[in-house]
Amino acid sequence: MIPICSFPNPRSVCVALSKVANQKIGKFVKISERPYNYREPESTDWWLVPATDWPAYKYGKFFFDWGSSDSLLIGLYIEKGLDPEVSVAYPSTKGQRFIMQSDWMWHQFLRDCRTERVESLVKFIAQELTFPVEFRIDGGFVDDPSFFDPYTMLKSDKFLLHWNKEQNAFNLVESRIEAKLLIELANVKTFDDLSKFLEKMNDNKWLWLDVFIAMRLRNKNLESIPENERELWNEQMIWDRWLNHFLPWFR
């Protein structure tokens, strides 16, 4: 089955999921809808942030992005910032926001990779899905803090891995290598491999790293998919069968 949705863009699915999230956990968490580019809200990617803070690098967030020309990506987004030891190189107020403190979700996520909590959860979710769970990992060195943007780095590497439940292994789907910092991802096959890779990246004090765990929903060119091969996902289904599982890191 091919999962599909009727949401035309990341904004629409973000708004719909914001309503569901507020119904489910709004009494406990302040949820904010945030666009990457507020000047182009209909075309940019969006986040649900478990706070009103902005920027929100330290939080685990739900993201809604373009997967391709005819699909959307939805899932968990965790960021690794810069080590406190390099803070002297970022003296401005803006620059200091890039320095990780003890309350960054990255630290908890790394521990949960090490203790196999992430592995157990992803494998559990994957058993109920008819499509692969996607891991998108981007990383690179950051620019001068006066105009630094972690989403448009000087040079970066981007890798897309699929967790294949039948093979019980990761498969490399796509890669774009510019910085040559993440090339070991090409050899990642198991969650243990992934955990060791992330631990190694954590030792790089200057590296900014983005980790996305995503599902992909077709939202265009649906006429090319036979009706008996379509699986329609609405916002409630996306929450119950997908995002709800990642609440331990949505904070």
Side-chain angles (χ1 to χ4, degrees):
M1 300 293 287
I2 298 175
I4 66 172
C5 69
S6 59
F7 301 106
N9 53 37
R11 180 183 188 179
S12 61
V13 66
C14 178
V15 170
L17 264 298
S18 178
K19 293 177 182 178
V20 177
N22 273 294
Q23 291 174 354
K24 299 292 186 178
I25 61 172
K27 293 182 179 180
F28 313 102
V29 180
K30 178 62 178 178
I31 299 171
S32 303
E33 302 165 17
R34 299 288 188 179
Y36 170 60
N37 185 346
Y38 68 89
R39 295 186 181 89
E40 299 180 1
E42 301 303 320
S43 60
T44 192
D45 44 322
W46 282 71
W47 298 278
L48 285 185
V49 181
T52 57
D53 301 6
W54 193 254
Y57 307 133
K58 70 178 183 179
Y59 295 100
K61 300 171 282 293
F62 293 147
F63 79 97
F64 309 88
D65 199 355
W66 298 103
S68 62
S69 61
D70 62 359
S71 66
L72 300 173
L73 290 177
I74 301 169
L76 177 70
Y77 176 26
I78 306 289
E79 296 174 89
K80 173 198 173 296
L82 309 181
D83 191 275
E85 289 188 19
V86 306
S87 62
V88 66
Y90 298 86
S92 69
T93 300
K94 183 177 180 180
Q96 287 299 301
R97 293 173 179 169
F98 314 145
I99 306 301
M100 286 194 296
Q101 306 301 326
S102 61
D103 61 347
W104 279 52
M105 179 49 67
W106 169 257
H107 302 300
Q108 180 64 51
F109 183 74
L110 201 61
R111 287 194 293 270
D112 288 339
C113 285
R114 189 184 310 125
T115 62
E116 301 181 3
R117 185 182 187 187
V118 174
E119 175 180 1
S120 297
L121 180 63
V122 171
K123 287 183 175 180
F124 172 77
I125 299 172
Q127 289 304 314
E128 303 300 319
L129 301 178
T130 58
F131 51 88
V133 177
E134 303 193 14
F135 280 68
R136 197 178 86 193
I137 302 177
D138 307 339
F141 292 131
V142 303
D143 212 333
D144 184 274
S146 63
F147 51 86
F148 168 76
D149 180 345
Y151 308 103
T152 53
M153 303 168 196
L154 285 175
K155 288 186 177 181
S156 65
D157 295 341
K158 298 179 182 294
F159 281 76
L160 176 61
L161 305 173
H162 283 182
W163 172 253
N164 187 309
K165 62 183 179 183
E166 284 77 21
Q167 298 177 4
N168 197 37
F170 285 105
N171 296 325
L172 176 62
V173 177
E174 297 176 0
S175 64
R176 191 193 75 186
I177 301 173
E178 296 177 343
K180 298 183 180 180
L181 296 167
L182 311 184
I183 55 177
E184 292 177 37
L185 272 171
N187 299 319
V188 165
K189 295 298 181 183
T190 68
F191 277 94
D192 185 56
D193 293 340
L194 180 62
S195 178
K196 290 177 180 177
F197 169 80
L198 295 178
E199 292 279 1
K200 184 174 181 178
M201 294 302 101
N202 191 56
D203 292 337
N204 189 327
K205 297 175 172 56
W206 299 90
L207 177 68
W208 190 282
L209 197 68
D210 302 321
V211 177
F212 307 83
I213 305 178
M215 66 176 295
R216 184 181 298 262
L217 297 178
R218 281 278 294 273
N219 72 327
K220 297 179 182 178
N221 302 319
L222 300 182
E223 64 279 357
S224 65
I225 306 173
E227 288 191 16
N228 63 347
E229 295 182 13
R230 303 177 192 176
E231 182 180 42
L232 179 63
W233 285 62
N234 61 20
E235 60 269 34
Q236 191 64 56
M237 192 170 174
I238 294 170
W239 178 266
D240 292 340
R241 294 185 59 186
W242 182 246
L243 292 182
N244 177 61
H245 294 291
F246 296 104
L247 286 177
W249 302 287
F250 184 68
R251 52 187 174 86

